[in-house]
């Protein structure tokens, strides 16, 4: 199920916090960042069912979930000290280091797969190799010297520059780049005067965080400067990308994920395609995966331009996963929006489905995922009792709900996956689930 051979015992490191540490703490408040410490349960479903999984905090309902979905050979570890730099905490945790050394065995080697490549991860790799004598294989990690590329293509301005160079500006929404809020207001008026709204993107962001939308009628009001000052984060070092808002009545936002091996070790591979869905705030909420997406009119063009970008990134030294987000307007035209240069909120869904149903899973089921939803239930037993007739049971049903993400359930949030014979069936089940769990 892995796009590459796993040649040594697998250590999975869910280093989400260190990936977004600088972006989410630039205001000086770590609350938003640290609230995401529970996201590590997604990594339980990465790759195969035999791994050492390191997360910032322990995964709730770990034994229940691993037994139910055949991840019994997963060993879960968390450092004694919680911080936003998980890789560094691993270096300081004797128990976790002992586990890694034992896993390395006589061959003194491990494979490490992380959420994203970071300088802290490379610090950990250097420590294991130099201080512990363990060979570390990194099939999904760009070298330390190429971390700049991972960060550059992940930025909004960097993506626009490289994508236009590689596939042409016809695939990009009209857009401009500035660090001046005054100029931002003037650019907004330019778009509005020609009947268009805009999306303002902070250059560094992720999952929709840092994106703010302004409709045409909002921009034409005399107080647009004040509105921008009130809503757009202000920082002397912030660069903004202002793009035309692309209308998509059917909310078609396809995302194509690739795995890019080290150059000389194979060609980039498409892992899956999905349609993204979003919360009311505009933040990424989950994915829809179905065989029918491969037969949509826009898919061949997305595959073509995505493959060009993947090849060019590989030439420059990029290694690992990335997804290419896009939108299809009401005339069926494809626009490219951004790249997320890491594993994403849909990767675990793809790999879970691959493990449960095989590499051709999209021919067998349609899937709808929601990574976080508010619930009136705060423990797994009561939640599953409420949803008992909607739950999916292997070998007993062809459709239903799978509760996968429960580490925030005590706070009233959980994540799920819905399987169905079609996308429409998953959406019908979703509507009933939301009524039952108290969203409406």
């Amino acid at each position: 199920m892995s796009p590459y051979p796993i040649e040594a015992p697998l250590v999975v490191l869910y280093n989400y916090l260190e990936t977004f540490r600088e972006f989410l703490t630039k205001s000086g408040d770590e609350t938003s960042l640290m609230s995401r410490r529970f996201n590590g349960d997604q990594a339980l479903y990465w790759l195969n069912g035999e791994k050492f999984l390191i997360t910032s905090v322990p995964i709730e309902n770990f034994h229940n979930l691993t037994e139910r979905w055949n991840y019994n050979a997963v060993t879960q570890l968390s450092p004694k000290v919680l911080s936003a730099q998980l890789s560094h905490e691993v270096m300081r945790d004797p128990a976790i280091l002992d586990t890694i050394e034992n896993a390395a065995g006589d061959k003194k080697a491990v494979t490490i797969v992380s959420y994203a490549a970071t300088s802290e991860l490379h610090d950990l790799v250097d420590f294991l190799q130099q201080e512990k004598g363990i060979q570390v294989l990194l099939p999904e990690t760009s070298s330390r010297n190429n971390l700049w590329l991972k960060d550059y293509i992940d930025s909004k301005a960097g993506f626009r520059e490289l994508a236009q160079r590689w596939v042409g500006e016809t695939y990009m929404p009209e857009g401009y780049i500035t660090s001046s809020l005054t100029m931002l207001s003037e650019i907004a008026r330019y778009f509005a005067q020609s009947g268009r709204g805009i999306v303002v993107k902070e250059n560094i962001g992720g999952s929709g965080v840092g994106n703010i939308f302004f409709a045409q009628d909002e921009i034409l009001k005399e107080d647009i400067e004040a509105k921008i000052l009130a809503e757009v984060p202000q920082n002397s070092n912030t660069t903004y990308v202002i793009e035309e808002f692309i209308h998509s009545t059917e909310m078609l936002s396809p995302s194509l994920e690739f795995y890019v091996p080290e150059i000389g070790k194979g060609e980039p591979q498409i892992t899956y395609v999905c349609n993204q869905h979003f919360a009311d705030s505009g933040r990424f909420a989950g994915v829809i995966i179905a065989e029918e997406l491969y037969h949509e009119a826009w898919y061949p063009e997305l595959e073509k331009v995505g493959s060009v970008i993947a090849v060019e990134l590989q030439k420059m030294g990029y290694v690992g996963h990335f997804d290419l987000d896009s939108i299809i307007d009401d005339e069926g035209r494809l626009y490219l929006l951004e790249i997320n240069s890491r594993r994403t909120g849909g990767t675990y869904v793809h790999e879970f489905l691959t493990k449960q149903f095989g590499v051709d899973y999209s021919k067998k089921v349609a899937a709808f995922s929601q990574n976080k939803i508010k619930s009136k239930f705060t423990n797994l037993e009561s939640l599953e009792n409420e949803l008992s007739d909607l739950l999916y049971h292997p070998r007993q049903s062809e459709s239903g709900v799978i509760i996968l993400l429960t580490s925030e359930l005590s706070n009233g949030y959980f994540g799920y996956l819905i399987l169905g014979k079609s996308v429409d069936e998953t959406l019908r089940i979703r509507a009933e689930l939301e009524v039952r769990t108290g969203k409406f």
Side-chain angles (χ1 to χ4, degrees):
M1 62 179 288
S2 168
Y4 51 83
I6 299 175
E7 298 174 339
L10 178 61
V11 176
V12 164
L13 185 79
Y14 193 80
N15 59 339
Y16 179 101
L17 298 182
E18 69 189 29
T19 302
F20 292 107
R21 180 172 60 90
E22 292 186 11
F23 169 64
L24 290 174
T25 60
K26 62 184 178 182
S27 67
D29 183 3
E30 289 195 353
T31 303
S32 177
L33 174 69
M34 298 309 292
S35 68
R36 292 163 166 80
R37 66 189 182 276
F38 302 106
N39 293 3
D41 44 8
Q42 292 184 18
L44 174 59
Y45 309 107
W46 287 358
L47 298 167
N48 59 42
E50 185 174 349
K51 54 183 172 273
F52 297 87
L53 171 58
I54 305 174
T55 57
S56 295
V57 296
I59 295 173
E60 294 295 323
N61 303 295
F62 174 77
H63 294 294
N64 184 309
L65 296 171
T66 53
E67 291 179 10
R68 184 176 301 180
W69 302 111
N70 195 25
Y71 290 87
N72 307 74
V74 177
T75 299
Q76 199 268 317
L77 306 159
S78 296
K80 291 182 179 179
V81 176
L82 171 64
S83 81
Q85 293 175 292
L86 178 61
S87 296
H88 286 177
E89 295 307 332
V90 170
M91 292 165 57
R92 294 188 278 260
D93 194 297
I96 295 180
L97 290 175
D98 285 347
T99 300
I100 294 174
E101 285 192 84
N102 290 334
D106 294 337
K107 294 185 177 180
K108 299 286 282 184
V110 295
T111 298
I112 292 185
V113 168
S114 63
Y115 174 76
T118 62
S119 60
E120 293 95 335
L121 171 64
H122 278 287
D123 292 341
L124 172 59
V125 171
D126 290 345
F127 176 83
L128 291 174
Q129 294 190 144
Q130 296 167 13
E131 301 298 325
K132 300 294 184 179
I134 298 173
Q135 180 188 11
V136 179
L137 307 178
L138 296 168
E140 296 189 17
T141 304
S142 297
S143 69
R144 190 188 288 272
N145 289 340
N146 284 323
L147 288 180
W148 73 270
L149 175 60
K150 184 267 297 186
D151 293 334
Y152 191 75
I153 194 65
D154 196 73
S155 72
K156 307 304 184 287
F159 169 72
R160 283 188 65 90
E161 192 271 320
L162 291 178
Q164 286 181 125
R165 181 194 304 177
W166 293 333
V167 301
E169 63 181 19
T170 58
Y171 290 104
M172 310 302 295
E174 184 179 347
Y176 303 91
I177 301 169
T178 183
S179 57
S180 163
L181 290 179
T182 299
M183 185 175 290
L184 194 162
S185 300
E186 294 167 350
I187 293 170
R189 284 199 187 90
Y190 158 76
F191 278 108
Q193 287 166 0
S194 58
R196 295 174 289 175
I198 62 169
V199 54
V200 179
K201 302 177 178 180
E202 287 189 70
N203 188 40
I204 307 299
S207 302
V209 178
N211 293 353
I212 303 175
F213 301 87
F214 293 95
Q216 179 201 15
D217 59 346
E218 289 181 280
I219 299 169
L220 292 175
K221 293 178 181 178
E222 292 184 1
D223 64 348
I224 185 59
E225 290 92 345
K227 190 173 183 64
I228 286 175
L229 286 170
E231 295 191 24
V232 175
Q234 300 171 55
N235 187 300
S236 59
N237 297 319
T238 298
T239 297
Y240 308 99
V241 173
I242 305 96
E243 291 180 344
E244 173 188 1
F245 176 76
I246 304 299
H247 289 275
S248 179
T249 303
E250 296 185 11
M251 295 182 288
L252 284 175
S253 183
S255 181
L256 187 63
E257 187 186 89
F258 286 82
Y259 167 68
V260 180
E262 182 181 346
I263 194 163
K265 294 188 177 180
E267 301 298 321
Q269 305 170 41
I270 293 172
T271 56
Y272 72 97
V273 66
C274 70
N275 186 30
Q276 302 176 100
H277 66 96
F278 300 88
D280 294 339
S281 64
R283 290 188 59 185
F284 171 81
V287 299
I288 301 168
I289 303 178
E291 179 67 17
E292 61 200 64
L293 297 178
Y294 292 94
H295 305 289
E296 294 285 354
W298 46 260
Y299 179 77
E301 196 168 16
L302 179 59
E303 179 182 4
K304 180 185 72 174
V305 296
S307 297
V308 170
I309 291 171
V311 168
E312 294 298 331
L313 282 172
Q314 186 185 49
K315 288 178 183 177
M316 293 182 70
Y318 186 87
V319 177
H321 288 262
F322 76 84
D323 71 357
L324 174 62
D325 294 346
S326 66
I327 191 166
I328 311 299
D329 74 6
D330 290 339
E331 283 70 51
R333 181 176 172 181
L334 169 70
Y335 290 92
L336 306 180
L337 300 180
E338 66 178 14
I339 271 178
N340 297 293
S341 55
R342 57 186 179 273
R343 284 176 162 262
T344 68
T347 309
Y348 81 94
V349 177
H350 162 70
E351 292 183 339
F352 175 84
L353 291 170
T354 300
K355 185 177 187 303
Q356 304 300 323
F357 297 99
V359 294
D360 60 343
Y361 68 82
S362 65
K363 298 181 184 297
K364 302 172 184 176
V365 294
F368 178 102
S369 73
Q370 180 95 15
N371 291 349
K372 186 175 182 179
I373 184 175
K374 182 68 176 173
S375 171
K376 63 185 178 182
F377 301 99
T378 57
N379 64 74
L380 185 58
E381 182 179 6
S382 61
L383 175 63
E384 292 190 328
N385 283 341
E386 177 63 29
L387 300 177
S388 59
D389 60 316
L390 295 181
L391 295 178
Y392 170 79
H393 298 283
R395 296 176 295 280
Q396 297 178 29
S397 54
E398 295 183 338
S399 59
V401 178
I402 300 174
I403 308 299
L404 288 179
L405 310 178
T406 64
S407 286
E408 276 199 274
L409 194 50
S410 61
N411 296 324
Y413 295 95
F414 71 98
Y416 63 84
L417 177 64
I418 297 175
L419 304 181
K421 293 183 284 295
S422 66
V423 172
D424 285 344
E425 183 180 20
T426 68
L427 296 178
R428 288 194 296 271
I429 297 171
R430 176 204 188 193
E432 179 62 23
L433 177 148
E434 291 184 338
V435 170
R436 302 263 195 103
T437 56
K439 182 175 181 180
F440 301 112

